[in-house]
């Protein structure tokens, strides 16, 4: 494995990760490069990504208590589903990984990465993301409790007005989903505090 294949930014990401996560990230990194020597590393959305011919092969990420490992493309999702491995528990393909024992055997992982690379090399995957045309969603209906609380906080009101429609909707849905009045009240207070600080609803995940 050639040292120049490694991106210093990924080195730094791994070094700053929690101690439990470092061997997981290092191992996945080695497997990817072993399976596909032409892999290039990049940082996207503050996470390490593995690229091949400009197309995303996969990614990995470390959080406070787990890691996420992603294999990109609908074909890989189908294969992982067939093997009973694909999980929606977390932002990766394999669920929340807390130790090396949570990963499939190395032979399996190498096979997955080699197949993912083959899909790109043979032209079956030419884009990182396959997007379909989406209808424009209407502006979110802001719950009255949230609207009233934001109106009382000048900082929050200004930030919320500048938020994108999707950011506003995330907060609106969070408040609306609260089943109990006390839960809704607590979420409204927390939302106003976060909004006033310029934070989106899922800011914790964006800054991991």
């Amino acid at each position: 494995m050639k040292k120049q294949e490694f991106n210093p930014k990924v080195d730094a990401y791994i070094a700053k990760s929690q101690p439990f996560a470092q061997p997981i990230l290092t191992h996945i990194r080695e497997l990817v490069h072993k399976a596909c020597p032409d892999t290039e590393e990049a940082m996207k959305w503050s996470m390490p990504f593995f690229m091949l011919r400009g197309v995303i092969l996969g990614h990995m990420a470390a959080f406070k208590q787990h890691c996420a490992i992603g294999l990109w493309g609908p074909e890989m999702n189908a294969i992982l589903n067939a093997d009973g491995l694909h999980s929606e528990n977390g932002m990766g393909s394999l669920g929340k990984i807390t130790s090396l024992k949570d990963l499939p055997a190395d032979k399996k992982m190498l096979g997955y990465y080699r197949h993912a690379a083959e899909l790109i090399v043979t032209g079956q995957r030419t884009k990182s993301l396959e997007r379909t045309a989406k209808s424009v969603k209407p502006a979110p209906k802001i719950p009255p409790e949230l609207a009233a609380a934001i109106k009382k906080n000048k900082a929050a009101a200004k930030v919320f007005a500048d938020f994108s429609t999707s950011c506003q909707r995330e907060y609106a849905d969070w408040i609306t989903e609260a089943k109990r009045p006390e839960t809704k009240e607590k979420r409204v207070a927390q939302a106003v505090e976060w909004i006033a600080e310029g934070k989106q609803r899922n800011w914790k995940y964006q800054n991991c």
Side-chain angles (χ1 to χ4, degrees), residues 55-172:
V55 179
I56 295 175
L57 180 72
H59 80 280
M60 61 184 186
F63 301 97
K64 291 182 179 179
Q65 296 182 333
H66 73 277
C67 292
I69 309 300
L71 283 144
W72 283 52
E75 300 88 351
M76 295 312 301
N77 284 341
I79 291 174
L80 293 174
N81 275 322
D83 288 351
L85 292 173
H86 188 264
S87 173
E88 299 294 339
N89 181 25
M91 66 173 292
S93 305
L94 303 174
K96 295 181 178 180
I97 307 297
T98 59
S99 74
L100 289 171
K101 294 179 181 179
D102 293 334
L103 292 170
D106 287 359
K107 186 176 179 180
K108 273 273 189 187
M109 291 298 292
L110 286 169
Y112 291 143
Y113 282 119
R114 284 170 180 150
H115 188 73
E118 183 181 358
L119 291 171
I120 296 173
V121 172
T122 57
Q124 296 178 65
R125 275 193 69 220
T126 58
K127 297 179 180 179
S128 295
L129 297 171
E130 297 293 337
R131 292 191 174 94
T132 55
K134 295 182 180 179
S135 57
V136 178
K137 292 184 179 180
K141 184 177 180 180
I142 309 302
E145 301 90 343
L146 179 60
I150 289 176
K151 190 175 182 180
K152 295 177 182 178
N153 188 308
K154 290 184 179 180
K158 184 180 185 307
V159 172
F160 195 74
D162 291 337
F163 270 166
S164 66
T165 299
S166 60
C167 289
Q168 292 180 353
R169 182 176 289 105
E170 287 176 352
Y171 272 113

Side-chain angles (χ1 to χ4, degrees), residues 12-85:
Y13 181 93
I14 295 175
K16 291 179 181 178
S17 299
Q18 296 290 336
F20 84 89
Q22 294 180 18
I24 299 172
L25 300 179
T26 299
H27 187 63
I28 288 297
R29 190 187 200 186
E30 291 173 351
L31 288 177
V32 173
H33 284 280
K34 183 176 180 179
C36 182
D38 292 331
T39 297
E40 296 180 355
E41 298 178 346
M43 292 295 294
K44 295 177 179 291
W45 302 295
S46 301
M47 297 178 288
F49 275 74
F50 301 108
M51 311 292 296
L52 180 61
R53 299 188 179 184
V55 179
I56 295 175
L57 180 72
H59 80 280
M60 61 184 186
F63 301 97
K64 291 182 179 179
Q65 296 182 333
H66 73 277
C67 292
I69 309 300
L71 283 144
W72 283 52
E75 300 88 351
M76 295 312 301
N77 284 341
I79 291 174
L80 293 174
N81 275 322
D83 288 351
L85 292 173

Side-chain angles (χ1 to χ4, degrees), residues 184-197:
K184 181 174 290 188
E185 183 179 351
K186 185 181 295 185
R187 288 187 180 183
V188 167
Q190 182 65 83
V192 172
E193 179 183 335
W194 284 346
I195 294 169
E197 294 173 357

